[in-house]
């Protein structure tokens, strides 16, 4: 009998302010219902058996009282695919104009993508990317 390998099912983000975080991710197409803003735990089905979960800091502390937010910068990032380079620029501009912190303005990366990075309300890195046209 062979053992089944574990499979990735949930990506979880720990958040300070659920409503502020969900407002940010809704701008990127994450479909969280309005009533989720007041919840301590929210899960959004991304399809293909993958879910994105959000837990408040208080939720984490409810089972791990010694938990503290990490310091020194994000240790992970989420990346959102855009259809074309202009969409990277437009999405980055819309998020920065809405008051979110731009980490890296859009640029043409050497690996063949238009790329940019913004921060979510908790300082997590969120990358935006699209393939560059073939030259």
């Amino acid at each position: 009998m062979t053992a089944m390998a574990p499979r990735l099912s949930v990506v979880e983000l720990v958040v300070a302010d659920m409503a502020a975080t969900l407002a940010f991710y809704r701008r990127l197409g994450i479909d969280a219902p309005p009533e989720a803003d007041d919840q301590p735990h929210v899960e959004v089905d991304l399809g293909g058996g993958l879910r994105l979960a959000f837990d408040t800091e208080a939720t984490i502390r409810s089972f791990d009282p010694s938990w503290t937010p990490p310091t020194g910068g994000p240790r992970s990032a989420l990346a959102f695919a855009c259809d074309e380079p202009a969409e990277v620029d437009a999405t980055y501009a819309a998020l920065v104009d809405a008051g979110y912190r731009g980490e890296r303005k859009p640029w043409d990366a050497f690996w063949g993508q238009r790329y940019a990075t913004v921060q979510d309300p908790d300082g997590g890195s969120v990358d935006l990317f699209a393939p560059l046209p073939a030259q």
Side-chain angles (χ1 to χ4, degrees), residues 7-13 41-55 78:
R7 66 186 188 289
L8 180 62
S9 177
V10 179
V11 174
E12 176 189 11
L13 302 177
H41 174 84
V42 175
E43 287 188 21
V44 178
D45 185 356
L46 300 177
L50 185 61
R51 294 168 290 158
L52 180 58
F54 303 89
D55 282 306
L78 298 180

Side-chain angles (χ1 to χ4, degrees), residues 1-25:
M1 180 181 266
T2 59
M4 297 288 293
R7 66 186 188 289
L8 180 62
S9 177
V10 179
V11 174
E12 176 189 11
L13 302 177
V14 179
V15 306
D17 182 329
M18 185 68 77
T21 297
L22 293 179
F24 174 84
Y25 284 99

